Amino acid sequence: MNFLELMREDIQAVLDKDPAAHSALEVVLTSPGLHALWMHRLEHRLWKAGFRLLARVIAHWTRMFTGVEIHPGATIGRRVVIDHGMGVVIGETAEVGNDVLIFHGVALGGTGFGRGKRHPTVGNNVLIGTGAKILGPITIGDGARIGANSVVLENIPPDSTAVGAPARVIRRKSPV
């Protein structure tokens, strides 16, 4: 898929997931989360190509203009929507799946200074509520929902809802 097709897909994802978005033009002109994701794609390519300082400098400027900080080393899937992106932080070894909805103030952060995998892996079709903190090399399963202001320190199973500080699973989808 070329970059233009990805951009169209991203715009449609915002229109699908944000009831306040009324047109593609509005989304393109006013969505800082979308701008941050588009810039991240460039930064990530530079990072992988070995231009790490340049990638970090561009990421720094992107954060200043959008309020969203995504480390160039993070892996971000398709159709990710960062709604009201101010204060979102996604760490270097974080992995975010497809069709994820992230609200403002979310952190996908580390818990130590060690090398290697130290940030969360978020599955597909996950919703992360406002102000949630997901910390450490843990996994959020596909279809999970993380409540606002939750602090997640342990793996969350697929198709479940977690809330609180520390977060606990309060609901799991029943097997069919």
Side-chain angles (χ1 to χ4, degrees):
M1 181 170 272
N2 68 41
F3 191 69
L4 188 57
E5 291 171 328
L6 285 172
M7 290 175 73
R8 285 189 188 119
E9 189 176 74
D10 290 336
I11 293 164
Q12 189 59 52
V14 173
L15 288 168
D16 291 344
K17 292 181 180 171
D18 182 358
H22 300 289
S23 72
L25 182 60
E26 177 186 1
V27 168
V28 169
L29 294 176
T30 66
S31 179
L34 181 66
H35 300 149
L37 287 169
W38 286 348
M39 291 305 297
H40 172 73
R41 290 201 180 116
L42 168 66
E43 297 155 9
H44 188 68
R45 284 186 178 161
L46 290 169
W47 183 264
K48 288 178 70 173
F51 297 100
R52 293 187 168 193
L53 177 59
L54 179 58
R56 292 291 303 269
V57 169
I58 295 170
H60 174 76
W61 284 97
T62 299
R63 177 182 50 117
M64 287 176 41
F65 286 108
T66 66
V68 177
E69 181 173 348
I70 306 173
H71 190 285
T75 303
I76 309 292
R78 293 171 50 191
R79 298 173 305 277
V80 170
V81 174
I82 300 175
D83 192 13
H84 300 288
M86 187 60 71
V88 168
V89 177
I90 300 175
E92 177 185 10
T93 63
E95 299 170 59
V96 178
N98 299 323
D99 304 300
V100 173
L101 177 57
I102 301 172
F103 287 97
H104 67 279
V106 166
L108 304 180
T111 55
F113 297 106
R115 301 259 180 216
K117 178 73 170 153
R118 60 190 185 283
H119 298 93
T121 298
V122 176
N124 299 319
N125 300 301
V126 172
L127 181 147
I128 306 174
T130 299
K133 308 300 180 236
I134 303 174
L135 304 174
I138 61 174
T139 299
I140 308 301
D142 292 347
R145 298 171 63 88
I146 307 300
N149 293 313
S150 295
V151 179
V152 184
L153 302 171
E154 296 179 358
N155 294 339
I156 302 298
D159 299 313
S160 60
T161 301
V163 298
R168 65 193 184 291
V169 174
I170 61 164
R171 182 175 46 203
R172 289 187 188 187
K173 185 176 179 181
S174 303
V176 179

